[in-house]
Amino acid sequence: VPVDGSHWLSMREVLDMLQQKGHEVVVVAPEVTMYIKPSKSFVMKRHSGPLSTTEEMERDFKAFLYSLFEEGSFLERYLKVYKHMKRLGNLAVSSCQHLLQN
């Protein structure tokens, strides 16, 4: 059960190596992802998630990235980053809940 983004890009290499060694790999991922795509290296199983479109996911992720580089006092920047991290964390928890309820 991968996490989209850089975690997935790192995990993908490991999955490819496992498949080359003869293992059958099954990836369980939400229907809406940015980077997790089907491959010959593994079987893909999809589940519903909290986001309905890739655009919605990209918008949330970009808002988080932009908050990292915004101007302002340390406290203002910290609170903005915290708000976005909390939103992304809530999305991850919601995705897990969707998976377990499916």
Side-chain angles (χ1 to χ4, degrees):
V1 182
V3 177
D4 215 346
S6 62
H7 302 292
W8 168 248
L9 299 176
S10 299
M11 181 186 272
R12 175 74 192 267
E13 291 183 36
V14 173
L15 300 181
D16 290 340
M17 291 184 345
L18 286 169
Q19 189 273 334
Q20 289 171 7
K21 292 184 178 200
H23 296 278
E24 181 181 354
V25 178
V26 178
V27 172
V28 180
E31 291 170 345
V32 176
T33 66
M34 289 190 307
Y35 300 107
I36 304 170
K37 305 294 180 209
S39 168
K40 294 177 184 175
S41 299
F42 52 83
V43 175
M44 176 75 79
K45 300 289 184 181
R46 298 282 191 173
H47 65 89
S48 66
L51 298 174
S52 55
T53 65
T54 303
E55 291 79 18
E56 186 179 5
M57 175 181 264
E58 288 177 357
R59 185 191 69 233
D60 283 350
F61 187 67
K62 284 179 183 177
F64 166 68
L65 288 178
Y66 291 139
S67 73
L68 295 174
F69 301 104
E70 285 185 6
E71 299 280 326
S73 71
F74 172 78
L75 183 59
E76 288 173 325
R77 289 181 295 135
Y78 177 84
L79 291 174
K80 286 179 184 178
V81 169
Y82 175 79
K83 179 182 91 172
H84 289 290
M85 288 293 293
K86 187 173 181 179
R87 166 110 172 106
L88 292 175
N90 289 339
L91 285 173
V93 169
S94 181
S95 182
C96 289
Q97 289 172 333
H98 278 85
L99 171 61
L100 294 174
Q101 293 172 2
N102 186 338

